[in-house]
């Protein structure tokens, strides 16, 4: 069971393979997150792509740095499924989230591709009991991923 679900989709003018390639590089992830957040690489990811990680094996801790320098959370990064060039499913724990699930789907389309991010999460005990915390977390996650999709659109162009 989750506290919240968020789903965001964007239609891009670039081919699916190009978008996938960039989206699975840590530099590409950080390009999407800028300027709000930067994510560090755990030792298990250095020199590798996210899609290269072995499903079910924790890659290590990625710190999320607000503005690129202030640690605000971490992600114990672990992929559970990978369909190369199309989809990954991350299921991790975070400092603030007991469950963090991020599915990214990149699907070819006539004029480029679509990217869909589906997020499901459950706040940790004490945080979950604070009044309004679930709504606030959902708003923050939604805003961050809408920002990421605007950045994707700026990088790859949009269809329509």
């Amino acid at each position: 069971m989750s506290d919240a679900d968020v789903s965001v989709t964007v239609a891009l003018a670039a081919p699916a393979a190009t978008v996938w390639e960039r989206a699975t590089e840590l530099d590409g992830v950080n390009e999407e997150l800028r300027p709000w957040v930067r994510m560090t690489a755990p030792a298990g990811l250095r020199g590798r792509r996210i899609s290269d990680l072995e499903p079910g094996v924790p890659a290590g801790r990625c710190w999320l740095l607000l503005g690129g320098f202030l640690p605000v959370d971490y992600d114990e990064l672990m992929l559970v499924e990978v369909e190369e060039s199309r989809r990954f499913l991350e299921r991790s724990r975070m400092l603030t989230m007991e469950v963090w699930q991020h599915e990214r789907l990149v699907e070819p389309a006539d004029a480029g591709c679509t990217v869909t991010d589906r997020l499901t999460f459950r706040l940790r005990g004490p945080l979950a009991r604070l009044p309004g915390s679930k709504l606030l977390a959902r708003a923050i996650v939604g805003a961050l991923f809408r920002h990421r999709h605007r950045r994707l659109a700026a990088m790859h162009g949009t269809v329509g």
Side-chain angles (χ1 to χ4, degrees):
M1 172 172 275
S2 70
D3 285 342
D5 298 305
V6 173
S7 184
V8 183
T9 300
V10 64
L12 301 174
T18 301
V19 172
W20 175 265
E21 196 72 18
R22 188 68 179 148
T24 58
E25 297 172 340
L26 187 62
D27 285 346
V29 170
N30 280 322
E31 192 171 344
E32 290 177 29
L33 291 168
R34 272 187 201 105
W36 288 14
V37 177
R38 181 171 64 87
M39 187 173 86
T40 66
L45 187 57
R46 292 190 189 117
R48 301 172 68 197
R49 310 176 74 72
I50 291 169
S51 58
D52 293 337
L53 297 175
E54 186 177 338
V57 176
R61 185 172 287 179
C62 302
W63 282 96
L64 301 173
L65 308 173
L66 184 64
F69 66 91
L70 180 65
V72 292
D73 207 342
Y74 62 75
D75 181 349
E76 295 285 352
L77 182 64
M78 183 175 73
L79 296 186
V80 292
E81 297 175 15
V82 177
E83 295 174 42
E84 186 56 42
S85 300
R86 182 177 179 274
R87 174 184 172 269
F88 68 76
L89 179 64
E90 171 196 359
R91 194 170 297 134
S92 304
R93 294 174 59 101
M94 299 178 74
L95 177 64
T96 57
M97 313 262 181
E98 182 178 328
V99 175
W100 170 259
Q101 183 168 286
H102 173 203
E103 178 184 41
R104 173 158 286 186
L105 182 61
V106 180
E107 296 182 291
D110 289 340
C113 68
T114 60
V115 174
T116 301
D117 285 300
R118 292 185 189 104
L119 302 306
T120 305
F121 55 89
R122 182 173 52 244
L123 295 173
R124 288 198 183 263
L127 187 56
R129 290 189 290 276
L130 289 174
S133 63
K134 294 174 186 177
L135 289 174
L136 179 60
R138 187 176 194 282
I140 291 169
V141 170
L144 181 61
F145 275 82
R146 285 189 300 277
H147 169 75
R148 289 182 74 167
H149 282 231
R150 285 190 300 273
R151 298 277 298 164
L152 282 168
M155 288 183 270
H156 299 291
T158 58
V159 176

